[in-house]
Amino acid sequence: MPCHCHVMHRHSFPDKFILSSEACEELKVELGSWSRGLHYANDIIKDLNHWVVGWTDWNLALNATGGPNWSKNFVDSPIIVNPGKDEFYKQPMYYALGHFSAFILPGSVRVHSELSEPFLTLDLESVSFLTPASLSGLPHSIITTVILNKHDSAQTVVIHDPAVGYAEHKVQAHSIVTVQYPLPDAAES
């Protein structure tokens, strides 16, 4: 669903949450496709930046032909199972999902983040979350930022948080990185 629709729904129904569901790559299985992993990350980041509170895959695991499913709509999947060899393959889509499911804990809250010059003209996307100390299991809160570089070359990004300062990070071409840093307790409120 286009992001403007999420915003429209949020404004019309502010007491309802939006859950993105039944996402998939509607193409035949392509083992090891990093472009599909980047596409997943792009969709998730855009959704999370537009009031979506969660994201689920249509079929987390399928066989090598993209099935089975009731509609015979054979698609790619984050995990491909090969029952004949008793094997499964974790696809790049699986690892893209991990940048969100492993680092953004339940109960975390999306916080405002934005790209500024010169990054506005580059193929970069990002989303940031605050995980309070009470959820992080640490004595301090954590800021988590997932950055997607869709550009053909590496990009050096500078993360600026007034509570902690500046941090520079090189994001390789066509990659996803997750940056986490502690937030002083006084800055959380």
Side-chain angles (χ1 to χ4, degrees):
M1 177 178 294
C3 295
H4 72 274
C5 291
H6 298 320
V7 172
M8 182 180 67
H9 289 149
R10 171 67 182 183
H11 290 299
S12 298
F13 306 100
D15 59 329
K16 306 295 183 195
F17 68 88
I18 304 170
L19 178 67
S20 181
S21 65
E22 300 183 32
C24 70
E25 287 291 320
E26 295 188 39
L27 302 163
K28 67 178 182 143
V29 172
E30 186 180 325
L31 291 177
S33 173
W34 284 102
S35 65
R36 293 186 183 171
L38 296 174
H39 184 253
Y40 259 37
N42 188 59
D43 281 353
I44 295 169
I45 289 171
K46 286 187 176 190
D47 281 352
L48 293 175
N49 276 322
H50 291 90
W51 300 105
V52 173
V53 299
W55 198 92
T56 60
D57 195 282
W58 184 22
N59 294 293
L60 187 59
L62 294 171
N63 66 23
T65 60
N69 72 57
W70 64 273
S71 67
K72 302 199 181 349
N73 177 25
F74 300 105
V75 297
D76 208 346
S77 178
I79 300 172
I80 299 299
V81 177
N82 183 345
K85 292 186 175 181
D86 197 28
E87 294 177 338
F88 65 93
Y89 315 111
K90 294 179 187 174
Q91 295 263 63
M93 290 181 285
Y94 173 87
Y95 294 104
L97 289 169
H99 280 271
F100 304 92
S101 62
F103 297 104
I104 302 170
L105 301 178
S108 296
V109 178
R110 187 177 62 81
V111 294
H112 177 76
S113 64
E114 64 185 343
L115 297 171
S116 58
E117 291 294 341
F119 304 109
L120 294 174
T121 57
L122 300 176
D123 288 332
L124 293 171
E125 300 285 343
S126 68
V127 66
S128 297
F129 285 83
L130 166 69
T131 304
S134 60
L135 298 174
S136 72
L138 299 171
H140 50 75
S141 300
I142 297 172
I143 295 290
T144 300
T145 300
V146 180
I147 304 167
L148 169 64
N149 181 5
K150 300 179 286 183
H151 201 268
D152 290 334
S153 63
Q155 301 298 318
T156 299
V157 298
V158 177
I159 297 173
H160 174 232
D161 186 325
V164 295
Y166 294 87
E168 199 172 275
H169 192 83
K170 187 171 188 176
V171 183
Q172 295 300 320
H174 302 286
S175 69
I176 312 161
V177 298
T178 299
V179 178
Q180 289 188 305
Y181 58 88
L183 188 65
D185 288 333
E188 183 179 338
S189 48

